[in-house]
Amino acid sequence: MDQLEEKTINTKHIYKGAIIDVTVDDVQLPNGEQSKRELVKHPGAVAVIALTDDNKLLMVKQYRKPMESSSIEIPAGKLEEGEEPILTARRELEEETGYTTDQLHYITSFYSSPGFSDEYLHLYWTDQVTKLEIRPDLDEDEFVELYEADIAQIDEWIKKKEIQDLKTLFAVQYLKLNK
């Protein structure tokens, strides 16, 4: 038994949305006291490190409302119910970049922000991409710009804070250490 475990006493469902659910849990702390935990329930996500033949990283720029600005990121998206992460990764790569692959390699999975969310993100990479003749439609509320960038350009974007999300920073570090 984990000596740091917080036992859930009660769960109050606050919000049920299309992407997330929000709950407030009453918990018993390891010292016997009680507290509240606000939790975001998420179905999970994938992200793809995709390199072109000329060793450029496929990236997308999109507006992120919580940041109130645009962000340059690696392709990523939410798992659909019952969908295998590798299938989600291929779908998101195709939708967001117009490229496809049948050579996705699993890297790792991690919690993106475990202090308040259970989102579990699966990360894949490929250096075998092919441009699709017809790009699949994006979601109706999704607008992205495609970029193909080398490490020098990516480092500039990081310095300018145009790249600030964890999955993309992790992906860049992974590339620097492994390529």
Side-chain angles (χ1 to χ4, degrees), residues 13 56 99 116 133:
H13 298 277
K56 302 259 177 107
Y99 283 82
F116 66 90
E133 287 185 31

Side-chain angles (χ1 to χ4, degrees), residues 65-79:
K65 186 63 179 163
M67 295 170 46
E68 294 292 352
S69 66
S70 293
S71 176
I72 300 172
E73 306 172 8
I74 59 174
K78 177 179 73 74
L79 287 168

Side-chain angles (χ1 to χ4, degrees), residues 51 55-57 59 148-158 163 171-177 179:
L51 296 172
N55 211 33
K56 302 259 177 107
L57 182 62
M59 306 186 79
E148 297 178 15
D150 60 26
I151 290 296
Q153 177 63 63
I154 293 166
D155 284 342
E156 276 302 307
W157 286 333
I158 291 170
I163 296 176
V172 170
Q173 187 65 25
Y174 177 85
L175 283 175
K176 287 179 176 182
L177 292 173
K179 298 294 168 197

